[in-house]
Amino acid sequence: MLAVLLTSVLAILGHLPSITNGFVIDDFPLLVHNPHVRTLRGLFVILRSDLFVASAEPRAFSYYRPLSGLSYWVTWQAFGDNPTLHHVFNLGLHAVVVGCFTHFMIRSGLRIYTSMLAASLFAIHPATADIVAYLGGRQDLLGWVTIFVSAILILRCKNFWAQASVAFFGSLCAGFFREYFWIAPLLFFGIFELISGERQASSDSSTKEARRGNKQRAWVLVAGILAVLVSLGIRNVLGIGQLVNEWNDSTMVMGCVGSTALRLIHNTVAPTDLALNVSCTPLADTTAWLLLGGGALVLLAPVVWLAKTNARTKAVLACAGVFIMASGAVIHGFHGARYGVISDRYTYSFLVGALLFAASLTEHVHQRFRLPARAKPSLLRPLVPWILLATPLSLLPLTWARDQDWKSDTTLQIAMWRDRPHDPESQYAEALRLIDQGDYEAAYPLCVAYRNAAPQAERASLCIAGYLYLKGRAEEAVPLACHFARTRPGNVQGRHLCLSCLLATGRAEEATALISDWKAMFGESSEMIEAQEVLQRMKQQAPAP
């Protein structure tokens, strides 16, 4: 279909600069330095482990994403350490997502022009760069490919058991790319509503036929929920931890949900200060409830209006859009409450919901209140395609600039400090950049500011400990450096600083125990060899008993 091809090409054009980028942040532990992506034995570890446990920096985040891990393994076997080919793969996935999004909207009953405009905005929106230009973003890309392909198959299948099977395997696979996609069963249930609407429109359904449709709809939902339960069962068998811990402060959770919703809306409407991480500042309890309640009314009122004006298909699509937006705000708000930080990468999924909602509502408003054909100036008709093309293309400079921000860790840190200098997360990013340059003096006050703003985060410990060690205060640095190293043992800089502090304070036995533990995990590495040499010299210089 020409519309699908055009929007896919536009998606490639919109993020073409990303193919020159290198590896950044989690690309190193998950791909570049990950020993498990290099061997067949490592693949089995990936398929049965937490995503970050099976990495170069083992950490337990309760993320069981075996298909995401499999994608890293396959692309490493195919592309090795060539970042260009990995980025081409990500760009191709985004083009597939956009093409499937276009086809899904057209197949659901929206006009081609409306579908192309929504898909084009999605293809080139600056916020999508945080998924496309980041190799870790393939988890979302593969999840949405699975969702859209499954949705299209459900719409095309005539056999009920085939539809239920697609709902089951689509939900299972999407959830194995990222837990956010456990929303799939409810999305597929809504898609079945589209099929029911088509049947009612094409024939006068009897009561018996209506009951049969309700039964089929219920089984599609049950199939999707069963897939989620199966994935939860597998997690339990493998000993993967719980995603959501017990919450002592529900007010903070609701405040973070409200704060996350505002940030996602801001990124969708005005994506001018996108950042890798943003501090989650909870809203006041009353403000959060008013915001979320008012937002629900504002979004659901048009859905009710669409349903009452006999626009069943558009009402279902708009409702699906509202559900995607709401689930994104709630799920990622919980993440913000747990870690104190949210990521602008979450805007990618939020955009899908926002554009589905806007496209459905805009088309119905246009059809209901449009002028008679004879009242329309005929000269405007040829301009419509160009106007539709110019609207998303106007975003191209912002998108290309955001793609370039993801060129390296340093460019990401510079962008955060440039656009959001007062955010503690940006202050920490600038501190890391200064540490890489060896300027601990300039980094120290930023690290202290970050630690004061986020006392629950251990990341500032490395910066502060490094400063104290260089100032000859190794005794004060030990608890900070070694706490960081034990929390994130895969971090080479953290291990090196911890061992240096221990040796500087004469704690040879503690250093020896840590070296033994880390050698079992990572084998010989430069900082451990260096520490062993220092230990050997300490033993030789020690006085005889």
Side-chain angles (χ1 to χ4, degrees):
M1 189 181 294
L2 183 60
V4 173
L5 179 62
L6 288 175
T7 53
S8 298
V9 170
L10 198 59
I12 294 173
L13 174 66
H15 295 280
L16 204 56
S18 69
I19 64 174
T20 64
N21 292 356
F23 298 112
V24 295
I25 50 173
D26 289 337
D27 295 341
F28 292 102
L30 291 176
L31 190 65
V32 181
H33 300 151
N34 190 354
H36 302 295
V37 299
R38 289 162 168 74
T39 64
L40 187 60
R41 178 178 294 180
L43 176 60
F44 291 107
V45 175
I46 288 170
L47 294 178
R48 65 172 185 266
S49 304
D50 183 313
L51 181 68
F52 279 91
V53 168
S55 73
E57 295 185 12
R59 289 169 282 161
F61 280 115
S62 303
Y63 296 160
Y64 181 58
R65 302 172 182 177
L67 293 185
S68 291
L70 176 63
S71 75
Y72 285 118
W73 189 89
V74 170
T75 52
W76 181 267
Q77 300 302 313
F79 309 140
D81 60 355
N82 187 324
T84 299
L85 294 179
H86 285 281
H87 282 290
V88 168
F89 178 74
N90 259 38
L91 185 55
L93 284 176
H94 179 56
V96 173
V97 172
V98 172
C100 290
F101 187 34
T102 309
H103 182 65
F104 170 71
M105 286 188 289
I106 295 172
R107 181 66 181 79
S108 298
L110 296 182
R111 295 168 61 199
I112 291 180
Y113 280 159
T114 306
S115 303
M116 286 187 66
L117 177 59
S120 298
L121 286 169
F122 180 62
I124 298 185
H125 196 284
T128 59
D130 284 44
I131 288 293
V132 181
Y134 168 46
L135 297 184
R138 69 179 56 173
Q139 299 171 41
D140 291 79
L141 295 170
L142 289 166
W144 278 113
V145 168
T146 304
I147 292 287
F148 282 131
V149 170
S150 301
I152 292 166
L153 288 175
I154 289 174
L155 287 171
R156 293 174 67 91
C157 287
K158 302 301 181 183
N159 182 277
F160 157 66
W161 291 109
Q163 292 167 338
S165 298
V166 170
F168 176 82
F169 288 107
S171 300
L172 187 66
C173 292
F176 280 157
F177 284 118
R178 187 165 171 249
E179 292 80 5
Y180 169 77
F181 294 106
W182 283 344
I183 67 172
L186 290 174
L187 289 178
F188 296 151
F189 176 76
I191 290 164
F192 206 92
E193 285 285 337
L194 295 176
I195 300 172
S196 301
E198 289 178 358
R199 288 174 179 170
Q200 289 181 8
S202 62
S203 64
D204 295 329
S205 301
S206 63
T207 304
K208 184 178 179 180
E209 185 69 21
R211 288 177 179 173
R212 181 172 176 270
N214 289 335
K215 184 178 179 180
Q216 291 178 339
R217 191 159 50 241
W219 274 109
V220 165
L221 178 62
V222 168
I225 293 174
L226 181 62
V228 174
L229 293 175
V230 167
S231 64
L232 288 172
I234 293 173
R235 289 171 61 93
N236 187 56
V237 169
L238 295 175
I240 308 295
Q242 295 180 353
L243 274 172
V244 180
N245 296 332
E246 294 182 5
W247 299 102
N248 297 321
D249 190 354
S250 60
T251 301
M252 184 184 72
V253 175
M254 290 307 302
C256 280
V257 170
S259 178
T260 302
L262 284 178
R263 182 63 187 173
L264 294 174
I265 293 169
H266 168 78
N267 291 342
T268 301
V269 178
T272 54
D273 63 343
L274 296 167
L276 171 62
N277 289 320
V278 177
S279 298
C280 183
T281 306
L283 300 177
D285 191 30
T286 304
T287 305
W289 281 107
L290 286 174
L291 172 69
L292 297 175
L297 288 174
V298 168
L299 292 174
L300 291 177
V303 175
V304 174
W305 176 67
L306 288 170
K308 285 185 174 293
T309 52
N310 297 320
R312 180 189 178 94
T313 296
K314 297 180 183 63
V316 171
L317 289 175
C319 191
V322 171
F323 174 67
I324 292 170
M325 289 188 284
S327 60
V330 172
I331 292 170
H332 299 128
F334 268 79
H335 183 279
R338 185 179 184 182
Y339 297 109
V341 63
I342 57 175
S343 174
D344 285 342
R345 296 194 299 275
Y346 305 152
T347 311
Y348 191 90
S349 296
F350 191 84
L351 264 173
V352 174
L355 290 169
L356 263 182
F357 175 81
S360 305
L361 184 60
T362 301
E363 179 165 310
H364 188 62
V365 168
H366 175 262
Q367 290 177 342
R368 192 168 177 82
F369 301 106
R370 64 183 174 182
L371 295 171
R374 61 188 178 188
K376 289 183 180 179
S378 59
L379 292 176
L380 291 180
R381 286 182 178 274
L383 297 178
V384 171
W386 297 104
I387 294 172
L388 294 179
L389 181 63
T391 302
L393 284 178
S394 64
L395 297 172
L396 205 55
L398 280 175
T399 307
W400 282 358
R402 185 57 184 165
D403 281 329
Q404 289 299 294
D405 286 342
W406 283 85
K407 200 168 190 67
S408 67
D409 282 345
T410 301
T411 56
L412 269 176
Q413 291 157 356
I414 291 171
M416 289 178 69
W417 184 244
R418 177 193 68 215
D419 296 332
R420 298 181 58 83
H422 302 296
D423 191 315
E425 290 295 323
S426 300
Q427 293 169 352
Y428 177 70
E430 176 66 5
L432 286 182
R433 188 182 70 83
L434 293 170
I435 289 171
D436 287 341
Q437 295 177 352
D439 192 353
Y440 276 90
E441 286 283 351
Y444 179 70
L446 294 173
C447 292
V448 172
Y450 176 74
R451 192 179 185 192
N452 291 336
Q456 78 281 5
E458 84 284 346
R459 295 186 295 171
S461 301
L462 181 65
C463 169
I464 297 173
Y467 174 82
L468 294 173
Y469 176 73
L470 290 177
K471 290 295 182 180
R473 296 157 62 184
E475 191 69 40
E476 297 175 59
V478 167
L480 294 172
C482 292
H483 171 72
F484 180 88
R486 290 189 178 97
T487 304
R488 302 181 66 173
N491 187 287
V492 176
Q493 193 176 14
R495 295 200 306 261
H496 184 271
L497 183 58
C498 174
L499 291 172
S500 298
C501 291
L502 290 173
L503 294 174
T505 54
R507 303 185 188 185
E509 291 184 6
E510 193 173 344
T512 302
L514 283 175
I515 290 172
S516 177
D517 292 341
W518 290 339
K519 280 177 68 176
M521 296 170 66
F522 308 108
E524 293 280 4
S525 58
S526 58
E527 80 283 352
M528 283 187 261
I529 294 172
E530 180 183 335
Q532 286 173 318
E533 292 174 351
V534 173
L535 281 169
Q536 188 64 31
R537 289 196 297 270
M538 290 174 66
K539 290 179 181 178
Q540 292 173 353
Q541 295 171 3

